[in-house]
Each structure stands twice: as structure tokens, then as C-alpha cells.
Amino acid sequence: MGIAADIILLLLTAFFCGLLMQRLRQPLILGYILAGVILGPHTGGLTITEVHDIELLAEIGVALLLFALGLEFSHNDLKPVKFVALMGTPLQIALTVGLGIGIGRMMGWDLKTSIWFGALISLSSTMVILKTLMNQGWLGTLSSKVMIGMLIVQDLAVVPMLILLPLMNEPAAGLVSLGQAAIKAILFLIGMFVLGAKLLPWLMRHIAKLGSRELFLLAIIALGLGIGYATYLVGLSFAFGAFIAGMVLNESDYGHQALSDIIPLRDVFGLLFFASVGMLLDPIFFLHHVDTILLLVLLISLGKGCIFACISWLFRYGNVIPVAVGLGLFQVGEFSFVLARIGLATNSITADLYNLVLTTAVMTMILTPIVSAQTARLYALKKRWFQKEPLDSINFPDKGFQRHVIIAGGGRLGMQIATCLHRLAVPFVIVELDQRRIEQAKNAGYPVVYGDASHEVVLEAAATTTAILLVVTIPGLVESRAIVTRAQQLNRGIEVIARISDLDFLDIFNELNVTDLVYPELEAGLEMTRQALLALHIPITEIQRQTETLRQEYLTSRINRSKPYRILSQFRAAEQQFDLEWVAITPDSSLVDCSIGESEIRTKTGASVVGVLRDGQLEPNPVPHYRFREKDLVAIIGSDEARAAFQSRFLPSEQSS
């Protein structure tokens, strides 16, 4: 079966390796790399026969990942990091090349080999860091934008490196080729952002009108890979072209749908990329050179990490960002493989150096998810050593906070809560990591702290010790439990309302003495049940009775409810006993243009008017001089006899019908 058998074997092995990593609480990409090592040409046993074909498919994975990234990030998202990307990245590359030259001279290599080594290690892995950020939930934060901005410029820098490095002995020819590449890149960018910004949305609009989901998906793939291939034909990066195509398409109305459709395909081809990385690892070569490889991994990781962290700090990024960038971008990237092949083909580097760089790069990629996951721990340690560094806090009152609400998570739920509290003049502060949400809160004038609410230093900045309520809108169990635990350590009297994503976690939250839990899926299900029963013309009292029974069955028996919640539940149950009924005021009703007081409804019928719905607006508990109009929906409560008397006296058409 050729490559088909290889892909099937690779998918099965990757599945079981990924399952193993999931059990070990490690990133899935480590399982994919392990699958590549197991099936690679250097380990014996079951072996992939068409390794080169798998590597070619892996290039599609890189392009799809960057295309999807472009669909998520518009050029406006990258504006906050343009200076560190455009000026900091060339500085980082130069410093890392200098680091490589120093390591090379220490290893006894000549200057030319050392320069090549420095260039090879100067690039970081876009594929690995993006997948790591996605798995860790950091994509969209300011630190992730800094990393992505620098990675994009690194990918652009591959083109001049491919031209200049093989021609170090012919600088004139190299400069001519470099100038041609720069002109091509500028023309491509102008064409995409000027013509493509109008053409691509127009094309997607017409395809969407056809109503075929398959054609829409094919159009997305064709645009992303087709534009990437076009850039490859003119001598630029295939992945870079796909990324720009995604950014342009993101500005249209179809960006979100395109992203949701492309994600499964991106993940499958991404698996092939990580497996192809594992196939490059030769265990025999590793064992023979283990001392040298481990030394290079240590020197490169520490050196690059410090360079990235220092550059972030130099461009005035504080708090957790230098730590996150340093621990995220220390690895050697996939484009180094391309550069290394060029160096080997032009006899610029030896086969031993090629294998050494390859193995070192794979090792650093494997370490990336593990090392990057230590960001929170190292940041907490850094805060202990450098207490003077303030956390980013926006729109804070001069007098600080007293008896306020802390909202952990500034997403849709958090912003809805904040809006309501703001209208009621209740003091609150939002704690958020996502820079986009930070900007939304800032523009709304809401006080916000940039940081992870599970960290003690962040909760201290939000004045947890003087807060009266913590609202956790984050759905993840691990993050929510950490936030609640840290907050209760700082303030034992704080009340907590938390969002729960699975009913199986109820016992865990009960142990934390959470005041109340909200299960969004249950609330959505109850509302859909309510709407369905209304469409079936089920009486409102029966709808209330059924939905409240469902609520009680799901939650009340499982959660230790606070007294206020129990009172609220009793109010809901009491509604069923009032026999509330909605009636419409007909044109021939004697209530038209008559006030509640003039009609003497309660005196004559025994029923009471508790609400009027007019033009979509509810008037609760209307005053006696409130006048009825034709087509008003009136809520009345009372016994069956009282409600029947109301309809008989004031709605004669109802009686006749």
C-alpha cells in the first residue's frame, strides 16, 4: 500500500503514544514525536518506508498551522508587538549567531562552521511553540503575541539566510539575490493586503452563497495552500505565504467559520510534522555523542532563553512576559533542518555537524512543552526575589478596593457580570491573562489586573484580603481549584461562586466550600426545554414546574447550597403555587384605555395584576393609574375561580369563544 500503509501505521502508533502521554499528564506532541522515533529508519522493527513522503506531507502541516494562525490573528493583533518583532528579532538573531560562534570556537570548529552553527540555532520552532501555546491555553495572551511576532520575522529571515550562508565567499552575488528576494516579498505583501483583501472576501462570499459546506472547506484549503505554494514558486517561504493568506481572510466575515473548518485537518497534518521530527532522531548517534549533545542542549537552551528574555525586557515588556518568551523560544526550529540540508549539499558543513544539529534540535523541541510549562513556577520565584516589580493594573481607583468582587476570567461571562456590577455601582476587579480581553475591559473603563488568578501575587494585586466575593468564570477544573484555594488562603471569609464544566466535579468543589456553582450546560438545557414547551403551548405553570424539577434533580440534591440560594429556590417553587396566567387584552375588552384602579379588578374578580408586557417591554407590578392598551399581555394571579371571573368580566370574546 506504500505511503497509505505508512500513514495508517503512523496514526495508530501516534494514537497509543498520545494516549500514554495523556495518562502521564504530558503534552500530546511528545507522544507524536515518540511515534516518529519508534517508526523511524534508525530504530529497526516496524519502520516507515516512505520517510521522505511523510516529510513532504509534514510541510503541509506547517503551512496549515500558520494559515490557521493567520485566521486567528489580524494585523491589528500584532500591532502591540511590532517594535519587538521588527527590531528585536534581528537583534536576537545576531546575538544568537554570536552565541553559536562562541560555542563553535569552544568546540574547536573553524570560523565558517561556527557561523553556520550560530545561524542554525538562531531560529526557533513556530510549529512546536504554537502547539504548546494552544495546549497550555496561552494563545492570545500578550506573551504569545510577542513570541508569534518574533517567529514571523524569524521565518522571513530564513530567505536571506538561504541566500547568504552558501555564498559567504561570494558576497556580491549574495547581495544581488538578497535584493531580489526583498523586492519579491514587498510586492507579495502589497498584492495581498491591497488586492487580496478585496478579492478573497468577495470569492468566499460567492462560494458561501452556493450553500455547500464541502466546497467552502475546499475553497479554504485551496486558498491557504495555493497562496503558500505561489510564494514558494517566487522564492519565498511556503508557510509564510499561507500565514499572510490567513491574515487577509481573517478580515472578512468568514474568518471564524474558516478557522473552525480547518482545525481538524491542521491537527492531523500537524501530527505528521511532529512524527517526522521524531524520525530524524538516530538513537545510535545520540548514544555515541550523548555528552556533546547534552552540553549543546544545555548551552543553547540557557543562552537563547536568556537572549529572548533580555530582549523582551529591553523592549519594556515586564511581569511574566520575559519569563514566558525565554522559556518558550529557546529551542532550535524546523527551518534549521532546511538550512542544514543546504549547508550539507553545498559542503559548507560536515555530515557529523548536520547530525549533531539535527539531534540537538529534536531534543530541544521535545523539551519545549516541559520547560514552557514551568513559566508559572519560575515567575512566582522571580516575584519573590524582585518584589518591587508591580503587576500591570488598569483603571484602579486611587483609594484601592474594599468589600469588592473579584472576577477571575474576563471572557463573555466575566464581562457580563462586570457590566451588571458596574451599573449597580458595586466595586469589582477583573483578573485576566488574554490581552484581547484586557483591552476590552480597559476600553470599557473596568479595573483589571493582567495575570494568572491562580498565582498568589496576582490575587494580592487584586486585593483579595479585602474582597467579599470571588466569581470564577474559568471552566477548567485545575485552574478553578487553584484559584479558589489560593483565594481562600488569603481570605478565609471570602464567598466563592464558580463555574463548573462537569457534574462529576461537584464533590471536589463541595470540599472547597464553594458558596454556589453554576453549570452553563444545565442552564442552557433548561432554557431550551422552556422554549420547546412554550412552542407546544404547554401552560406556563406546568413549564415552570417541570424545569424547576429538572434543576432540583441535577443540582440541589448534590450541592450544599447557601441559605440565600435555598430562599431563591423556595421563591421559584412558590411561583408554581400562585397559578400565574398571561392573558391578552382584546379590542372589545372593557379594559382598553382603562386604568387598573378604575377597573377595580381585585374587588370585582379576586384576581391581581402582577405584570404587563407591552411592545416587548415588561412592566412589573404596575401602579393603579397604569392604563391598559389593546394587545397588552397581562399577568394575573389568583384561584381558578378568580381568573375565570376576570376573563368572564373583562374579556367577553374569550367567553364566547
Side-chain angles (χ1 to χ4, degrees):
M1 291 179 65
I3 189 173
D6 288 343
I7 292 176
I8 293 171
L9 185 60
L10 188 56
L11 289 174
L12 288 172
T13 307
F15 169 74
F16 287 108
C17 290
L19 196 61
L20 174 63
M21 292 300 160
Q22 183 76 12
R23 286 302 196 102
L24 296 175
R25 299 182 182 276
Q26 297 300 318
L28 292 180
I29 61 175
L30 296 183
Y32 303 155
I33 293 175
L34 177 61
V37 173
I38 294 172
L39 299 177
H42 307 292
T43 51
L46 285 174
T47 303
I48 295 293
T49 57
E50 305 293 340
V51 176
H52 181 64
D53 290 340
I54 297 295
E55 291 176 350
L56 293 177
L57 289 174
E59 291 184 21
I60 297 178
V62 177
L64 287 175
L65 182 78
L66 285 172
F67 179 56
L69 177 67
L71 287 170
E72 289 189 84
F73 285 85
S74 68
H75 61 277
N76 291 325
D77 292 319
L78 297 177
K79 281 182 179 179
V81 299
K82 60 184 177 183
F83 292 112
V84 69
L86 296 175
M87 294 186 286
T89 307
L91 177 60
Q92 171 266 317
I93 292 174
L95 291 174
T96 309
V97 170
L99 172 68
I101 293 173
I103 295 174
R105 302 302 284 174
M106 183 186 72
M107 301 292 292
W109 302 332
D110 59 53
L111 181 60
K112 180 182 176 182
T113 302
S114 299
I115 293 174
W116 265 92
F117 179 75
L120 291 171
I121 68 171
S122 66
L123 303 174
S124 300
S125 175
T126 303
M127 188 74 171
V128 170
I129 195 59
L130 285 181
K131 197 67 176 177
T132 300
L133 290 171
M134 290 176 190
N135 292 339
Q136 294 175 349
W138 280 64
L139 201 60
T141 64
L142 183 56
S143 57
S144 73
K145 290 182 181 181
V146 172
M147 287 187 255
I148 291 167
M150 299 185 80
L151 286 168
I152 292 169
V153 177
Q154 279 189 0
D155 292 345
L156 288 174
V158 172
V159 176
M161 284 184 181
L162 289 172
I163 296 169
L164 292 176
L165 286 173
L167 299 174
M168 282 194 293
N169 296 327
E170 300 179 55
L175 289 175
V176 171
S177 301
L178 183 62
Q180 292 175 347
I183 293 172
K184 291 176 183 177
I186 292 171
L187 291 176
F188 170 72
L189 289 174
I190 292 174
M192 284 300 297
F193 284 106
V194 175
L195 299 178
K198 295 182 179 180
L199 180 61
L200 293 187
W202 175 85
L203 181 62
M204 295 306 301
R205 190 181 308 113
H206 281 74
I207 293 173
K209 287 180 179 178
L210 297 176
S212 172
R213 182 137 190 190
E214 291 181 24
L215 281 176
F216 187 81
L217 176 60
L218 287 174
I220 295 166
I221 298 171
L223 285 174
L225 299 183
I227 293 174
Y229 184 62
T231 59
Y232 168 77
L233 292 178
V234 298
L236 298 175
S237 167
F238 178 34
F240 171 68
F243 173 76
I244 298 300
M247 283 186 67
V248 172
L249 192 57
N250 179 47
E251 302 301 324
S252 72
D253 296 331
Y254 305 97
H256 294 294
Q257 183 61 45
L259 178 62
S260 64
D261 287 347
I262 204 73
I263 283 175
L265 195 65
R266 176 202 70 187
D267 290 341
V268 171
F269 278 94
L271 180 153
L272 297 178
F273 167 79
F274 289 107
S276 69
V277 169
M279 292 176 192
L280 296 174
L281 189 62
D282 184 352
I284 304 300
F285 181 85
F286 176 79
L287 292 175
H288 287 167
H289 300 83
V290 61
D291 294 340
T292 303
I293 291 171
L294 292 180
L295 177 62
L296 289 177
V297 168
L298 179 63
L299 293 175
I300 292 170
S301 301
L302 289 176
K304 280 189 72 175
C306 290
I307 289 172
F308 275 107
C310 290
I311 288 176
S312 301
W313 176 81
L314 185 65
F315 280 81
R316 300 182 181 278
Y317 291 98
N319 297 309
V320 74
I321 296 175
V323 179
V325 173
L327 295 182
L329 298 180
F330 70 90
Q331 77 286 132
V332 180
E334 57 272 2
F335 281 117
S336 299
F337 303 157
V338 179
L339 273 179
R341 287 174 188 156
I342 297 295
L344 190 64
T346 58
N347 295 319
S348 299
I349 60 175
T350 63
D352 282 343
L353 181 62
Y354 174 81
N355 288 322
L356 199 62
V357 170
L358 224 59
T359 307
T360 302
V362 173
M363 292 300 297
T364 57
M365 287 182 178
I366 292 173
L367 289 173
T368 298
I370 301 171
V371 173
S372 180
Q374 309 308 311
T375 298
R377 291 187 178 91
L378 285 182
Y379 177 58
L381 186 63
K382 173 177 175 250
K383 290 299 296 180
R384 292 177 187 172
W385 290 349
F386 303 98
Q387 293 290 339
K388 294 181 180 179
E389 182 184 13
L391 277 166
D392 288 342
S393 54
I394 303 167
N395 296 329
F396 267 40
D398 296 334
K399 296 181 179 179
F401 288 103
Q402 290 288 335
R403 299 186 60 78
H404 60 290
V405 178
I406 298 174
I407 304 173
R412 287 189 296 270
L413 292 178
M415 287 298 289
Q416 288 175 7
I417 297 168
T419 300
C420 184
L421 294 178
H422 178 70
R423 290 172 179 171
L424 295 172
V426 176
F428 67 89
V429 59
I430 301 172
V431 180
E432 179 56 62
L433 260 176
D434 191 325
Q435 186 63 25
R436 289 172 295 183
R437 295 170 179 173
I438 292 283
E439 291 297 326
Q440 290 175 0
K442 178 182 177 182
N443 294 335
Y446 299 158
V448 58
V449 173
Y450 175 82
D452 187 342
S454 64
H455 296 166
E456 184 176 339
V457 291
V458 176
L459 289 175
E460 288 176 351
T464 303
T465 54
T466 60
I468 58 173
L469 177 64
L470 169 67
V471 181
V472 183
T473 66
I474 299 169
L477 171 66
V478 176
E479 298 90 340
S480 297
R481 183 165 55 177
I483 293 169
V484 173
T485 302
R486 295 283 191 280
Q488 290 176 338
Q489 289 172 351
L490 293 171
N491 184 350
R492 294 186 179 277
I494 193 170
E495 295 194 23
V496 180
I497 298 174
R499 173 182 178 182
I500 187 171
S501 58
D502 195 319
L503 290 175
D504 293 336
F505 301 152
L506 285 172
D507 293 337
I508 296 174
F509 280 99
N510 272 332
E511 292 174 1
L512 295 174
N513 294 320
V514 173
T515 308
D516 196 10
L517 291 174
V518 177
Y519 185 30
E521 285 75 10
L522 172 62
E523 300 302 327
L526 291 175
E527 182 58 28
M528 292 188 71
T529 302
R530 189 178 292 110
Q531 295 296 332
L533 295 179
L534 283 171
L536 295 172
H537 305 292
I538 304 296
I540 293 176
T541 53
E542 184 61 25
I543 294 174
Q544 287 291 98
R545 185 176 294 111
Q546 292 297 330
T547 54
E548 187 60 28
T549 299
L550 285 174
R551 186 191 304 276
Q552 298 290 331
E553 289 175 353
Y554 272 97
L555 286 181
T556 306
S557 61
R558 304 189 186 192
I559 302 177
N560 296 323
R561 294 292 188 180
S562 62
K563 182 178 179 181
Y565 186 87
R566 289 197 299 270
I567 294 173
L568 182 59
S569 296
Q570 292 169 6
F571 277 139
R572 284 178 178 156
E575 289 176 3
Q576 302 169 12
Q577 308 303 322
F578 283 124
D579 288 335
L580 182 144
E581 183 177 354
W582 289 91
V583 294
I585 302 300
T586 56
D588 55 350
S589 171
S590 60
L591 291 177
V592 176
D593 294 327
C594 184
S595 71
I596 295 176
E598 292 170 350
S599 60
E600 299 180 337
I601 294 174
R602 184 172 180 80
T603 303
K604 295 178 179 179
T605 67
S608 298
V609 176
V610 295
V612 178
L613 187 64
R614 177 181 296 167
D615 298 330
Q617 298 293 323
L618 177 64
E619 180 71 25
N621 299 317
V623 295
H625 60 266
Y626 186 91
R627 291 188 176 276
F628 295 107
R629 292 181 186 174
E630 182 181 335
K631 297 182 180 179
D632 279 351
L633 283 176
V634 181
I636 59 172
I637 59 173
S639 64
D640 291 341
E641 294 79 8
R643 288 183 285 112
F646 176 90
Q647 294 198 19
S648 174
R649 189 175 188 89
F650 298 111
L651 302 173
S653 60
E654 292 287 336
Q655 187 181 28
S656 62
S657 62

